[in-house]
Amino acid sequence: MAISVGLAVLELLALGLIWFFWIASYWSSFGDQAYGAPPGPYLQKALFVAAAALVAAVVAGVRRVPVVAVTQLVMVLVICAALTSAKTAGERIYDTSYRNACLSGLDCDAPSPPR
């Protein structure tokens, strides 16, 4: 039981750090023409956490530790649900940030932000 809780806490910690570094890209500069990073690379890192949880679930299933296997499968589902909602919200935040930078004088040739 302690192993399953420990793994879940580590996965949530990893997701929290990924989210923090993405949000920190918006705080890296306070200039009007600064905009943050697109969410894509950070979502890929979070997908790696889900893949690691899936591998842990399979290993736990093979080693006949059902509590860990079920906990890791639940974490995979939670992470995938979070990724689905984070993609839409992250793209909206990024587009808004880019649009605000363009309105404040950033030389924007394309109507949509670079991905």
Side-chain angles (χ1 to χ4, degrees):
M1 182 69 168
I3 292 174
S4 63
V5 171
L7 284 173
V9 167
L10 284 176
E11 290 156 359
L12 291 174
L13 179 64
L15 291 175
L17 285 173
I18 292 167
W19 177 82
F20 174 76
F21 284 120
W22 176 66
I23 292 298
S25 74
Y26 288 86
W27 297 331
S28 63
S29 174
F30 293 106
D32 291 339
Q33 297 177 1
Y35 61 96
Y42 296 95
L43 293 176
Q44 290 173 352
K45 291 176 177 106
L47 188 60
F48 177 77
V49 175
L54 186 60
V55 168
V58 169
V59 169
V62 168
R63 297 190 50 96
R64 301 190 196 292
V65 186
V67 173
V68 175
V70 170
T71 305
Q72 290 303 299
L73 287 175
V74 168
M75 286 303 297
V76 169
L77 292 175
V78 167
I79 293 169
C80 288
L83 286 175
T84 303
S85 63
K87 182 176 184 333
T88 305
E91 288 175 351
R92 186 178 60 241
I93 291 168
Y94 178 65
D95 289 342
T96 302
S97 175
Y98 183 77
R99 186 172 44 252
N100 289 341
C102 289
L103 291 174
S104 66
L106 180 68
D107 185 23
C108 301
D109 294 331
S112 63
R115 300 274 178 205

